Amino acid sequence: MEVTSPVSNSEKYAFKEFTLEAYATYLERIKEGGYTFAFYHNFDRDTKFCLLRHDVDFSPMRALKMARLEAAKDIYSTYFIQPHCRFYHPLEKKVFDIFKEIKAMGHELALHFDFAFYEGLNEENIGDKLTLEKSFLENFFETEINVFSFHNPNEWAISWGEWEAAGMINTYADYFREQVRYGSDSNGIWRNESFNQIIDLHAERLQLLTHPVWWTEEVSSPKERALSCIEGRAKENLESQLKIWEKWGRDFIDW
C-alpha cells in the first residue's frame, strides 16, 4: 500500500508566496498585464486598473518597506492607518514619521476604521464617527483623507454598500464588491485565489489588499511573522526606554 506523505503547512499555505521578493514579482506581473496603478479617488472605470490597498494593523515598519519597494518601481498605493490599533499609535514620533515618509514618497494615506471600537453603529450615526477620525488624520498628517476601509466589519458593514460616507470612498462599496476582482492576504494566507491566480484571470479591474505584517524578507509562517513583529517592537520599546533612563541617571529597580 502506497503511503502518502502529509502536506506541510508551508506547502498547504504557500509560505514562500508571502515574501517581499514575491510581492515585487506580483507588482511586475501586474504592470506587464497592462494595468494602471491608481488611487481610489482618481481611477478610470473604463480602463484596466489595479487598486493596491494596505491595511496597517500591526507594523508601520513593514509598511514602510513595502512602500519603498513600490516607489522604487514607480508604483504608488494607499496605506490605511488604524487610529485605535493595539500595536502602534499614529502619533508616536517614530510611527508618525514613518507615515509621513510613506506620504512623501507619493503614496496616499487613508483611514482604517475600527468598526468594533464603537457600539451600535448604523446608517444614522456612522458618518459622525467617520468624520471624527477623518479629521484626526487630516489635521496631524496634513493631507486629505479620501477613502476608508473597515477593520473587522460585521455583516451590516460589509453589506452596507454605500459608495461614500463623510466625504470618503468606502472600499466595501457595492461597486468594488460586485464589479472589481478582489484579493487579500488575510491572516497571512490565501483564503481564496492567490495574487498569482487573480493576475492569471486577466480581470479588467483589480483591488488587492495586503496587511504588511505578513510580508517579510525570509520565508516564515504567519505565526512567526506576527510574533516577530510584536516581540521585536516590544524589545525596541524597552531598549529605547532604558536609554532614556540611562541618559537621565534613573535607576531601573528590580528585586
Side-chain angles (χ1 to χ4, degrees):
M1 180 178 178
E2 183 179 351
V3 178
T4 303
S5 300
V7 177
S8 68
N9 277 345
S10 177
E11 295 173 299
K12 181 179 180 180
Y13 295 108
F15 290 177
K16 66 181 181 181
E17 296 183 16
F18 292 88
T19 64
L20 289 174
E21 182 179 0
Y23 182 64
T25 301
Y26 305 145
L27 296 180
E28 289 297 330
R29 291 199 64 208
I30 294 168
K31 289 178 71 173
E32 291 167 2
Y35 291 91
T36 298
F37 289 94
F39 295 121
Y40 284 85
H41 63 87
N42 67 3
F43 69 91
D44 185 344
R45 297 190 185 198
D46 296 324
T47 64
K48 196 174 183 181
F49 65 79
C50 177
L51 300 169
L52 281 179
R53 161 185 156 202
H54 310 286
D55 288 352
V56 187
D57 289 338
F58 285 85
S59 179
M61 297 73 181
R62 291 188 185 169
L64 180 60
K65 291 181 179 181
M66 296 190 84
R68 287 172 173 167
L69 186 158
E70 291 168 347
K73 295 180 176 294
D74 201 26
I75 294 171
Y76 302 96
S77 61
T78 307
Y79 286 79
F80 289 75
I81 302 172
Q82 188 189 145
H84 305 289
C85 186
R86 291 181 295 161
F87 300 101
Y88 69 85
H89 194 288
L91 299 189
E92 178 188 351
K93 178 60 175 171
K94 180 174 182 177
V95 173
F96 180 80
D97 287 345
I98 283 175
F99 284 122
K100 291 285 282 189
E101 182 177 345
I102 289 174
K103 175 179 174 290
M105 291 180 204
H107 303 291
E108 292 198 350
L109 304 181
L111 170 63
H112 194 33
F113 185 77
D114 187 356
F115 195 90
F117 181 81
Y118 302 98
E119 294 184 5
L121 279 185
N122 55 46
E123 193 169 353
E124 299 298 322
N125 59 25
I126 190 172
D128 293 338
K129 304 305 182 185
L130 286 168
T131 297
L132 178 68
E133 298 195 11
K134 168 184 167 75
S135 177
F136 165 73
L137 293 181
E138 287 183 334
N139 285 327
F140 279 98
F141 289 99
E142 299 179 311
T143 189
E144 187 173 355
I145 301 298
N146 297 301
V147 58
F148 72 93
S149 65
F150 286 122
H151 175 66
N152 292 337
N154 63 14
E155 185 176 345
W156 176 85
I158 294 175
S159 62
W160 182 39
E162 292 296 316
W163 171 255
E164 186 178 85
M168 295 180 289
I169 295 168
N170 172 19
T171 63
Y172 284 90
D174 287 340
Y175 171 76
F176 294 118
R177 294 174 59 238
E178 297 170 2
Q179 300 188 45
V180 180
R181 195 80 192 193
Y182 173 78
S184 172
D185 63 351
S186 182
N187 286 88
I189 63 174
W190 305 125
R191 290 194 174 275
N192 298 300
E193 300 106 340
S194 69
F195 282 179
N196 271 330
Q197 290 171 324
I198 290 172
I199 295 167
D200 286 340
L201 293 173
H202 303 291
E204 290 296 308
R205 298 172 289 274
L206 299 180
Q207 180 183 198
L208 300 181
L209 165 63
T210 82
H211 302 76
V213 65
W214 306 128
W215 300 86
T216 51
E217 286 85 355
E218 303 297 329
V219 177
S220 58
S221 71
K223 181 177 181 178
E224 288 173 328
R225 292 173 231 156
L227 289 180
S228 67
C229 170
I230 295 168
E231 293 169 354
R233 183 75 170 125
K235 180 181 178 181
E236 180 184 11
N237 281 342
L238 175 59
E239 291 175 349
S240 175
Q241 187 60 44
L242 289 174
K243 289 178 181 178
I244 292 172
W245 281 329
E246 181 181 6
K247 176 181 178 181
W248 292 98
R250 307 282 177 85
D251 293 325
F252 191 31
I253 306 299
D254 200 353
W255 286 97

